[in-house]
Amino acid sequence: MPPLTRKAETFSALVLEVFQLNGLLLQAGDRLSAPAGLTSARWQVLGVIDHGPATVAAVARTMGLARQSVQQTADALASDGFVEYVENPHHQRAKCVSLTAAGRRALRKVELAQAEWADRMAASLAPALLASALKGLREARLRLEKDLSVEERPHEG
């Protein structure tokens, strides 16, 4: 591996920390959502469509995930009665995923558990530290989004 600059080492350490944090957050999410019959992935999909019906592709874009994995999650949610597929006024073939009453109840149950958990977790962290971490992660995400969008543009030549 080529040598890294000090800044690159720090950024790489941040990436590894985020990967580890993501794994732990998914575990915590699974624990929080299990009493409602959900998983972290199912909870995330319900959270997106809580704002209104959306296509699987739109949910995937919002979550930054592959459409196929969101399709599998949405199909499982539909099979369990948490969502239903409804007509899409903007497209004949791409149906929208919509919350059912059971999905809304499950989501609200998880939201209550998450609020209590977030209060407990935040209580042991200094507010300034949390604010600084949020600011740094948000800035890193925005720069990564910009970098990825530049790479996706067709090259002229």
Side-chain angles (χ1 to χ4, degrees):
M1 181 172 176
L4 298 175
T5 64
R6 192 168 225 131
K7 285 183 178 181
E9 282 181 10
T10 303
F11 184 78
S12 295
L14 173 69
V15 169
L16 290 174
E17 198 65 38
V18 169
F19 286 163
Q20 290 174 332
L21 178 63
N22 182 60
L24 292 169
L25 287 171
L26 290 173
Q27 285 180 22
D30 285 343
R31 283 186 186 170
L32 290 169
S33 60
L38 301 173
T39 62
S40 288
R42 289 177 175 210
W43 173 19
Q44 289 175 33
V45 170
L46 294 183
V48 172
I49 63 172
D50 188 33
H51 304 285
T55 63
V56 166
V59 172
R61 276 191 303 277
T62 299
M63 296 171 63
L65 297 174
R67 189 200 63 75
Q68 294 86 345
S69 65
V70 174
Q71 183 69 63
Q72 290 174 339
T73 301
D75 288 347
L77 284 164
S79 175
D80 291 344
F82 292 113
V83 302
E84 62 186 349
Y85 289 100
V86 297
E87 295 299 319
N88 181 348
H90 306 291
H91 195 281
Q92 282 185 324
R93 288 183 33 219
K95 300 246 186 223
C96 287
V97 184
S98 180
L99 275 176
T100 62
R104 190 166 280 104
R105 282 191 304 274
L107 182 58
R108 296 302 172 255
K109 183 175 182 175
V110 178
E111 288 171 342
L112 284 171
Q114 189 275 337
E116 293 172 5
W117 173 79
D119 280 341
R120 184 169 44 82
M121 294 301 299
S124 63
L125 296 166
L129 179 62
L130 276 176
S132 179
L134 175 60
K135 183 177 180 183
L137 286 173
R138 184 174 288 140
E139 187 62 32
R141 177 185 53 83
L142 291 170
R143 288 175 189 251
L144 183 56
E145 285 175 351
K146 182 177 180 183
D147 185 65
L148 289 172
S149 71
V150 167
E151 289 181 10
E152 289 176 359
R153 287 191 204 128
H155 295 284
E156 294 182 25

